[in-house]
Amino acid sequence: MAVPVDTQHFLRLEIVAPDGPVYDGDVAMVIIPAVGGEMGILPRHAPMVAALAIGECRVKTPANEWFSVAVAQGFAKVQFDKVIILADAAELASEIDLERAEKAYDEAQKKLESCRLGVADEDDCLDPYVEEKAVARAKNRIKVVRKV
Ligand code: ATP
């Protein structure tokens, strides 16, 4: 017997970053940037926990509109009709400061280049892993805000 599709059923999405809540509301679908690739979560999804990469979280509202959130690593916990995203950093696309992201990108790229060329000042204590992550965060913010 075919299972009827419940079009009135939504997911509760909570996105929390260290500074506090970033989003809390009902949504129709959320696509998360899991480390293994993007995952689409619909209402009544089986419970799971996924590690998140630096990437874009795409959210479909009950009114069938989409918005994006830049996420910088963390975890997503899915419990049937609830998705909780705990991120190291998360910004709604509409709240991203593009100029700041571009500046952060340039600075992190310069530092990364210094690490690679071995010309970093010892006092800088540069770590290529840290700079790679900073480049990725800035690149992701730029990508997400440019789509708005
Ligand atoms: P920056 O060098 O610009 O601080 P960052 O990648 O080091 O960039 P994070 O450590 O990831 O910054 O984040 C610090 C805080 O600043 C977080 O609350 C994050 O949401 C916020 N944030 C970082 N960059 C931006 C941006 N371009 N627009 C809006 N908020 C930002």
Side-chain angles (χ1 to χ4, degrees), residues 52-125:
L52 300 178
I54 294 171
E56 179 181 12
C57 180
R58 289 185 286 144
V59 183
K60 187 180 179 186
T61 70
N64 281 338
E65 282 162 358
W66 288 88
F67 69 89
S68 291
V69 184
V71 170
Q73 296 182 299
F75 291 92
K77 184 180 179 204
V78 182
Q79 256 177 335
F80 298 108
D81 288 346
K82 192 164 185 174
V83 179
I84 302 171
I85 291 179
L86 290 176
D88 288 355
E91 304 90 35
L92 294 167
S94 55
E95 289 174 4
I96 293 173
D97 179 340
L98 177 60
E99 217 174 291
R100 173 175 168 181
E102 286 174 339
K103 193 165 168 249
Y105 177 81
D106 289 343
E107 282 172 7
Q109 275 287 23
K110 264 187 221 150
K111 288 181 184 171
L112 190 56
E113 201 53 27
S114 301
C115 294
R116 284 184 179 146
L117 295 172
V119 296
D121 191 326
E122 264 184 34
D123 295 339
D124 283 346
C125 296

